[in-house]
Amino acid sequence: QVQLVESGGGLVQAGGSLRLSCAASGRTVSRSGMAWFRQAPGKEREFLAAISWGGVRKSGADSVKGRFTISRDNAANTVYLQMNSLKPEDTAVYYCAAAIGRVTERIGEYDYWGQGTQVTVSS
Protein backbone atom coordinates (compact mmCIF):
# COMPACT_ATOMS: atom_id res chain seq x y z
CA GLN A 1 0.00 0.00 0.00
CA VAL A 2 1.11 3.53 -0.79
CA GLN A 3 -0.32 6.69 0.68
CA LEU A 4 0.29 9.99 -1.09
CA VAL A 5 -0.24 13.48 0.28
CA GLU A 6 0.28 16.55 -1.91
CA SER A 7 1.13 19.99 -0.64
CA GLY A 8 2.43 23.30 -1.92
CA GLY A 9 -0.47 24.49 -4.01
CA GLY A 10 -1.97 27.92 -3.75
CA LEU A 11 -2.56 31.19 -5.51
CA VAL A 12 0.23 32.67 -7.58
CA GLN A 13 0.45 35.45 -10.13
CA ALA A 14 1.23 34.72 -13.75
CA GLY A 15 4.96 34.39 -14.26
CA GLY A 16 5.52 33.12 -10.76
CA SER A 17 6.67 29.77 -9.46
CA LEU A 18 5.44 27.05 -7.16
CA ARG A 19 7.01 23.87 -5.86
CA LEU A 20 4.63 21.03 -5.16
CA SER A 21 5.53 18.19 -2.85
CA CYS A 22 4.15 14.69 -2.59
CA ALA A 23 4.95 12.78 0.55
CA ALA A 24 4.73 9.03 0.03
CA SER A 25 4.50 6.28 2.58
CA GLY A 26 3.98 2.56 2.46
CA ARG A 27 5.79 -0.70 1.98
CA THR A 28 5.87 -0.51 -1.83
CA VAL A 29 7.10 3.06 -2.23
CA SER A 30 10.58 1.93 -3.26
CA ARG A 31 9.13 -0.01 -6.20
CA SER A 32 7.00 2.84 -7.46
CA GLY A 33 7.28 5.15 -10.37
CA MET A 34 5.92 8.52 -9.37
CA ALA A 35 4.12 11.07 -11.46
CA TRP A 36 2.26 14.34 -11.48
CA PHE A 37 -1.03 14.88 -13.24
CA ARG A 38 -3.36 17.83 -13.32
CA GLN A 39 -7.04 18.30 -14.00
CA ALA A 40 -8.74 21.55 -14.83
CA PRO A 41 -12.50 21.94 -14.47
CA GLY A 42 -14.32 20.19 -17.29
CA LYS A 43 -11.13 18.70 -18.71
CA GLU A 44 -9.55 15.27 -18.66
CA ARG A 45 -6.76 14.53 -16.24
CA GLU A 46 -3.48 15.36 -17.95
CA PHE A 47 -0.11 13.66 -17.52
CA LEU A 48 2.68 16.07 -16.68
CA ALA A 49 5.78 14.08 -15.78
CA ALA A 50 6.95 10.83 -14.22
CA ILE A 51 10.11 9.65 -12.54
CA SER A 52 11.42 6.21 -11.62
CA TRP A 53 13.10 5.22 -8.38
CA GLY A 54 16.42 5.54 -10.20
CA GLY A 55 15.66 9.03 -11.46
CA VAL A 56 14.74 8.26 -15.05
CA ARG A 57 12.22 10.83 -16.21
CA LYS A 58 9.38 10.76 -18.67
CA SER A 59 8.27 14.11 -20.00
CA GLY A 60 4.67 15.15 -20.32
CA ALA A 61 2.58 17.61 -22.24
CA ASP A 62 4.21 20.08 -24.57
CA SER A 63 2.39 22.87 -22.77
CA VAL A 64 4.55 22.39 -19.67
CA LYS A 65 7.84 21.18 -21.14
CA GLY A 66 10.66 23.49 -20.21
CA ARG A 67 8.65 24.99 -17.36
CA PHE A 68 7.84 22.04 -15.08
CA THR A 69 10.45 19.70 -13.63
CA ILE A 70 9.87 16.54 -11.63
CA SER A 71 12.38 15.32 -9.07
CA ARG A 72 12.52 12.70 -6.36
CA ASP A 73 14.14 12.44 -2.96
CA ASN A 74 14.16 8.74 -2.20
CA ALA A 75 15.54 9.17 1.30
CA ALA A 76 12.63 11.45 2.13
CA ASN A 77 10.10 9.43 0.13
CA THR A 78 9.06 12.63 -1.57
CA VAL A 79 8.50 13.67 -5.16
CA TYR A 80 8.45 17.29 -6.25
CA LEU A 81 7.12 19.30 -9.13
CA GLN A 82 8.88 22.60 -9.70
CA MET A 83 6.64 24.86 -11.75
CA ASN A 84 8.08 28.02 -13.26
CA SER A 85 6.70 30.73 -15.53
CA LEU A 86 3.19 29.85 -14.52
CA LYS A 87 0.31 30.82 -16.76
CA PRO A 88 -3.40 31.19 -16.02
CA GLU A 89 -4.05 28.07 -18.08
CA ASP A 90 -1.98 26.11 -15.57
CA THR A 91 -4.81 26.53 -13.08
CA ALA A 92 -5.92 23.06 -12.05
CA VAL A 93 -5.93 20.50 -9.30
CA TYR A 94 -2.54 18.80 -9.29
CA TYR A 95 -2.33 15.14 -8.34
CA CYS A 96 0.52 12.90 -7.32
CA ALA A 97 0.33 9.26 -8.39
CA ALA A 98 2.31 6.06 -7.91
CA ALA A 99 2.62 3.08 -10.24
CA ILE A 100 4.00 -0.09 -8.72
CA GLY A 101 6.96 -1.47 -10.62
CA ARG A 102 6.86 0.90 -13.55
CA VAL A 103 7.15 4.43 -14.82
CA THR A 104 4.38 5.34 -17.20
CA GLU A 105 2.37 8.20 -18.64
CA ARG A 106 -0.82 6.15 -18.81
CA ILE A 107 -3.32 7.18 -16.20
CA GLY A 108 -4.86 3.71 -16.06
CA GLU A 109 -1.58 2.16 -14.95
CA TYR A 110 -1.31 4.18 -11.76
CA ASP A 111 -2.23 2.33 -8.61
CA TYR A 112 -2.38 5.09 -6.02
CA TRP A 113 -3.43 8.71 -6.02
CA GLY A 114 -3.25 11.61 -3.67
CA GLN A 115 -6.19 13.87 -2.98
CA GLY A 116 -4.78 16.71 -5.05
CA THR A 117 -3.71 20.26 -4.37
CA GLN A 118 -5.23 23.32 -6.01
CA VAL A 119 -3.03 25.61 -8.05
CA THR A 120 -4.57 28.88 -9.17
CA VAL A 121 -2.65 31.26 -11.41
CA SER A 122 -4.05 34.77 -11.63
CA SER A 123 -3.66 37.11 -14.58
Side-chain angles (χ1 to χ4, degrees):
Q1 293 286 339
V2 175
Q3 187 173 32
L4 306 173
V5 180
E6 302 98 333
S7 62
L11 176 65
V12 64
Q13 292 184 336
S17 298
L18 284 175
R19 182 175 180 250
L20 305 183
S21 298
C22 175
S25 61
R27 294 175 59 189
T28 57
V29 170
S30 63
R31 295 178 54 217
S32 298
M34 305 291 293
W36 287 97
F37 292 77
R38 69 182 181 187
Q39 189 166 23
K43 299 183 68 176
E44 190 172 284
R45 193 165 296 187
E46 178 185 28
F47 173 77
L48 299 174
I51 188 167
S52 73
W53 186 258
V56 177
R57 293 176 172 85
K58 184 180 291 290
S59 60
D62 290 339
S63 62
V64 304
K65 289 180 66 176
R67 299 190 297 119
F68 291 11
T69 302
I70 192 170
S71 62
R72 187 169 187 167
D73 184 341
N74 292 339
N77 291 327
T78 303
V79 64
Y80 304 96
L81 186 68
Q82 179 66 45
M83 305 186 296
N84 299 324
S85 301
L86 284 163
K87 305 174 181 178
E89 52 263 42
D90 294 320
T91 296
V93 177
Y94 284 71
Y95 295 92
C96 180
I100 304 302
R102 68 183 69 200
V103 57
T104 178
E105 64 186 41
R106 299 176 63 180
I107 187 170
E109 295 184 349
Y110 280 86
D111 303 294
Y112 303 98
W113 294 84
Q115 290 297 112
T117 185
Q118 176 71 46
V119 172
T120 302
V121 184
S122 63
S123 300

